[in-house]
């Protein structure tokens, strides 16, 4: 029996019907060339045979004297966790995303190991999908992505491959970047330590005050009091809508080169444009620019050890119509934040981030200050595999993160890279943000406008 850490317990305390605290992912595969008509059914049979999962997939919650513990589930039932499903006709990606939206809305059963895997067939173009979800107290999004990636192979001829819940992580090694950051985990750690951090850094509180004052006269500076009131920051329900799309990395690199900025800046500008157009369509665009919370690597060398991550607040330029000017504002905002952090020690960065995230942490825990917010939306970019991968002969075509929408942070945009693609996964409360899937069209529209502005054909 193993006690949960305070951070992991926090995900259980935060969970309520309108705020499920599980993360997930959607993997889209194409059939092997030699696949017969029963390929997916046979795959489902093989997966169901793995009915003795490894830790943590065999662990369930117990509670004693207010403390949660993990203990092995002696009555594990694979049929509760693994589902084989088929899309209704016509089997478009639209139907696939609708299924994921519905499944991601449902709470996981705390009486059993808190994870599910769904093998989905009936997708047009000889494709099938695997959607999984796991509670954030069990595993964060980065760890889930690592396991999902390690279960795959670079060899299209490899067969008899185990699913994630039965995979020995020491069996195969697949390199991923050493410093990706899981936003929800980082926010939880910061929230759990707010009082301790704040008590040790009165000097940093004065620094935040300086930034707040400077933000009034310089748009490059973003303070914790700057995020406007928007429909993204209303209360949420338990109903979710998931949207996903792939963008060409070479295409985005071409834009970044033309404007002399990074791909991350291009992505943030794309999101700024998409949110601007969406809010206009909802007659809800504020005069002030939306603010995004963005994890950024602050590493200045080639070392691999330790984390050098800061949660920055970025101006998305949603008050600006011109795409090139918006990108400039986004870039200047990001560079200012990085420059500020470059003058701090890692400890000071952690403390500064904890203080800037304090309003959100306070609201998540107590709901006492709903109008006091540091940001409007979370945008996270996680590096992924750089080589084509296969599972039992099926080629992985795309992998899309399915993250968490929080009360008064109704939209989460998470990206991951795969070979030459950048995969967007958007999750939102479907009632708070109706027709959220239009954001995908606006993202593509932004790319075209940036290309036109740069003279790229």
């Amino acid at each position: 029996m193993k006690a949960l850490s305070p951070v992991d317990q926090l995900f259980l305390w935060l969970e309520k019907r309108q705020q499920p605290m599980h993360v997930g992912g959607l993997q889209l595969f194409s059939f092997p060339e030699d696949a017969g008509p029963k390929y997916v059914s046979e795959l489902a049979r093989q997966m169901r045979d793995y009915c003795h999962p490894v830790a943590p997939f065999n662990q369930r919650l117990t509670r004693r004297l207010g403390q949660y513990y993990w203990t092995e589930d002696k009555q594990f039932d694979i049929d509760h966790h693994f589902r084989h499903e088929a899309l209704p006709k016509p089997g478009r990606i639209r139907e696939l995303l609708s299924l994921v939206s519905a499944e991601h809305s449902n709470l996981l059963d705390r009486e059993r190991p808190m994870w599910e895997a769904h093998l989905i067939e009936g997708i047009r173009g000889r494709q099938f999908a695997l959607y999984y979800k796991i509670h954030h107290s069990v595993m964060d999004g980065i760890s889930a992505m690592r396991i999902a990636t390690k279960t795959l192979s670079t060899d299209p001829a490899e067969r008899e491959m185990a699913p994630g819940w039965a995979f020995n992580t020491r069996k195969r090694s697949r390199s991923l970047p050493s410093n990706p950051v899981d936003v929800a985990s980082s926010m939880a750690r910061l929230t759990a330590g707010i009082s301790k951090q704040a008590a040790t850094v009165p000097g940093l509180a004065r620094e935040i005050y300086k930034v707040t004052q400077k933000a009034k006269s310089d748009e490059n500076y973003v303070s914790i009091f700057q995020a406007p009131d928007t429909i993204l920051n209303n209360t949420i329900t338990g109903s979710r809508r998931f949207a996903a799309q792939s963008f060409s990395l070479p295409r985005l690199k071409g834009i970044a080169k033309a404007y002399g900025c990074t791909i991350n800046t291009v992505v943030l500008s794309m999101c700024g444009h998409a949110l601007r157009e969406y809010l206009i369509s909802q007659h809800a665009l504020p005069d002030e620019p939306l603010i995004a919370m963005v994890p950024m690597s602050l590493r200045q060398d080639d070392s691999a050890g330790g984390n050098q991550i800061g949660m920055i607040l970025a101006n998305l330029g949603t008050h600006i119509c011109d795409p090139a000017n918006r990108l400039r504002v986004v870039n200047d905002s990001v560079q200012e934040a990085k420059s500020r952090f470059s003058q701090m020690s890692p400890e000071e960065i952690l403390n500064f981030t904890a203080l800037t995230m304090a309003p959100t942490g306070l609201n998540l825990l107590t709901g006492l200050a709903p109008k006091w917010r540091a940001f409007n939306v979370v945008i996270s970019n996680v590096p992924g595999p750089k080589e084509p991968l296969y599972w039992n002969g099926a080629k992985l075509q795309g992998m899309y993160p399915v993250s968490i929408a929080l009360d008064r942070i109704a939209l989460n945009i998470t990206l991951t890279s795969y070979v030459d693609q950048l995969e967007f996964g958007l999750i939102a409360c479907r009632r708070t943000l109706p027709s959220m899937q239009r954001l995908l069209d606006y993202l593509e529209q932004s790319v075209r406008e940036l290309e036109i502005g740069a003279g790229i054909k």
Side-chain angles (χ1 to χ4, degrees), residues 23-82:
V23 293
L26 175 66
Q27 297 177 327
L28 185 63
F29 296 91
S30 58
F31 282 25
E33 291 184 3
D34 60 351
K38 296 184 179 180
Y39 172 76
V40 179
S41 296
E42 180 62 22
L43 198 59
R45 184 193 64 76
Q46 294 174 9
M47 295 175 72
R48 193 172 280 111
D49 286 343
Y50 289 96
C51 54
H52 300 289
V54 299
F57 298 96
N58 63 351
Q59 302 292 302
R60 62 180 294 269
L61 282 174
T62 59
R63 191 176 186 182
R64 293 183 181 178
L65 301 176
Q67 168 71 50
Y68 285 103
Y69 295 86
W70 293 122
T71 184
E72 185 177 353
D73 186 358
K74 301 295 186 180
Q75 297 178 315
F76 182 84
D77 181 2
I78 187 63
D79 288 330
H80 176 81
H81 301 274
F82 173 67

Side-chain angles (χ1 to χ4, degrees), residues 30-33 39 155-159 161 390-395:
S30 58
F31 282 25
E33 291 184 3
Y39 172 76
D155 182 5
E158 186 172 353
R159 298 294 190 275
M161 297 171 65
Y390 300 83
W391 188 51
N392 290 297
K395 185 177 182 180

Side-chain angles (χ1 to χ4, degrees), residues 224-240:
I224 62 172
F225 305 105
Q226 193 171 330
D229 189 20
T230 74
I231 61 173
L232 276 70
N233 309 115
N234 292 336
T235 56
I236 63 174
T237 69
S239 181
R240 297 289 176 266

